């Protein structure tokens, strides 16, 4: 790994742990809650402790003035929820373009088990080759996702995580299997740092318990979008997640320190 890759990994995390808040959902869903005034949301979540923000390249001018020194990741593929196949992620940029946008890292989404998996494998393989030339880290979002695929199956998730390492990524993001014991199969499948996705917001306690379980299983952090940026208090939710990821707090203490009511 190049010195530049190491340096840029430090910019998007803290001491080998990562709290990434992806906000690329505008391409997929439009200007949903939390993203219309994305400047205020970025300011809030980075004040709350997010290590880095992730968007598509066109949002870069709205990120940098409001990120409070946090790292920046440019996402390089996507699809829309209203298109013919939401799992068919197509390239939206290049490593060079991401660098021009001020990125510290790039990311790419790959659905393992989807009908378009082969094309996405080729895209990730090419991306890691290009990124290596520039010393830019690659976050591979490798999900178990497609017709008939159980997205929480630890064996499927373990395969997805290992696939990302095999193709040359530096970090892996994948789904959570539901409990710490089964997720150890996922973190044990790769030597790369593994981050869990947030998924659909499930309530503060449930979200924090998933983060706690993943960390107990050896995860390196989270890449959590709507759970954080669509929260009534994005800064507080980011602070709660940071408490688990960076301070190793139990769920209740993280919620309490963030000023969020502990749910019954």
């Amino acid at each position: 790994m190049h010195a530049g890759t190491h340096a840029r990994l430090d910019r998007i995390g803290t001491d080998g742990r990562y709290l990434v808040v992806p906000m690329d959902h505008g391409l997929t869903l439009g200007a949903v809650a939390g993203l219309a005034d994305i400047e205020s949301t970025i300011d809030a979540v980075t004040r709350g402790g997010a290590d880095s923000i992730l968007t598509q390249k066109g949002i870069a001018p709205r990120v940098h003035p409001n990120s409070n020194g946090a790292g920046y990741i440019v996402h390089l593929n996507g699809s829309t929820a209203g298109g013919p196949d939401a799992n068919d992620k197509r390239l939206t940029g290049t490593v060079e373009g991401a660098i021009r946008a001020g990125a510290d890292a790039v990311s790419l989404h790959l659905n393992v088990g989807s009908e378009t998996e082969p094309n996405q494998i080729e895209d990730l393989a090419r991306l890691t080759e290009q990124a290596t030339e520039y010393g830019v880290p690659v976050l591979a979002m490798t999900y178990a996702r497609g017709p008939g695929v159980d997205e929480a199956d630890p064996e499927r998730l373990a395969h997805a995580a290992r696939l990302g390492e095999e193709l040359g990524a530096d970090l892996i993001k994948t789904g959570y299997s539901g409990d710490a014991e089964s997720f150890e199969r996922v973190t044990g499948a790769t030597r790369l740092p593994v981050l869990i996705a947030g998924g659909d917001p499930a309530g503060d306690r449930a979200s924090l318990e998933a983060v706690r379980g993943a960390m107990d299983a050896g995860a390196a952090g989270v890449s959590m979008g709507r759970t954080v940026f669509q929260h009534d208090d994005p800064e507080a939710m980011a602070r709660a997640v940071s408490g688990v990821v960076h301070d190793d707090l139990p769920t209740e203490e993280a919620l309490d320190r963030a000023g969020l009511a502990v749910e019954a």
Side-chain angles (χ1 to χ4, degrees):
M1 186 183 292
H2 294 309
T5 306
H6 278 293
R8 292 182 178 93
L9 281 171
D10 287 343
R11 295 176 197 164
I12 64 170
T14 303
D15 298 328
R17 292 194 170 188
Y18 303 86
L19 169 46
V20 180
V21 180
M23 299 188 193
D24 59 316
H25 303 67
L27 186 152
T28 308
L29 301 171
V32 295
L35 296 186
D37 180 9
I38 197 170
E39 292 89 346
S40 295
T41 306
I42 290 168
D43 177 57
V45 301
T46 51
R47 281 190 284 109
D51 293 301
S52 48
I53 299 299
L54 181 152
T55 75
Q56 293 281 344
K57 62 187 178 184
I59 301 298
R62 304 175 70 177
V63 174
H64 297 301
N66 301 288
S67 62
N68 297 301
Y72 181 45
I73 304 170
V74 169
H75 195 54
L76 294 179
N77 69 348
S79 62
T80 70
D85 183 0
N87 286 335
D88 184 7
K89 304 295 182 179
R90 299 297 180 99
L91 290 174
T92 56
T94 64
V95 175
E96 294 91 337
I99 293 170
R100 288 194 295 270
D104 301 302
V106 295
S107 60
L108 188 132
H109 183 133
L110 196 161
N111 292 311
V112 182
S114 71
E115 294 178 355
T116 52
E117 173 199 290
N119 293 335
Q120 292 163 20
I121 287 176
E122 291 178 349
D123 290 342
L124 180 57
R126 283 192 293 266
L127 177 64
T128 58
E129 289 286 340
Q130 295 164 6
T132 298
E133 294 182 13
Y134 294 96
V136 173
V138 176
L139 168 62
M141 301 182 180
T142 52
Y143 293 89
R145 189 170 293 174
V149 174
D150 179 355
E151 298 183 11
D153 181 351
E155 294 301 320
R156 289 274 198 169
L157 293 171
H159 182 192
R162 182 54 179 258
L163 182 149
E165 181 178 9
E166 296 279 344
L167 293 178
D170 302 287
L171 299 164
I172 301 296
K173 172 183 177 179
T174 195
Y176 183 53
S177 58
D179 60 83
E181 183 177 0
S182 65
F183 201 69
E184 288 179 356
R185 173 73 183 97
V186 183
T187 58
T190 176
R191 292 187 179 181
L192 297 182
V194 175
L195 318 183
I196 64 163
D200 293 325
D204 297 351
R205 177 187 287 274
S207 297
L208 267 289
E209 286 178 346
V211 178
R212 181 68 269 165
M215 300 303 292
D216 290 343
V222 302
S223 178
M224 185 172 280
R226 288 170 292 169
T227 298
V228 176
F229 74 71
Q230 289 192 328
H231 196 276
D232 290 341
D233 189 339
E235 180 178 352
M237 190 58 184
R239 185 170 292 113
V241 177
S242 180
V244 177
V245 171
H246 291 302
D247 299 324
D248 206 28
L249 298 180
T251 298
E252 291 78 6
E253 187 174 351
L255 289 168
D256 184 61
R257 283 197 187 183
L260 297 173
V262 178
E263 300 163 357

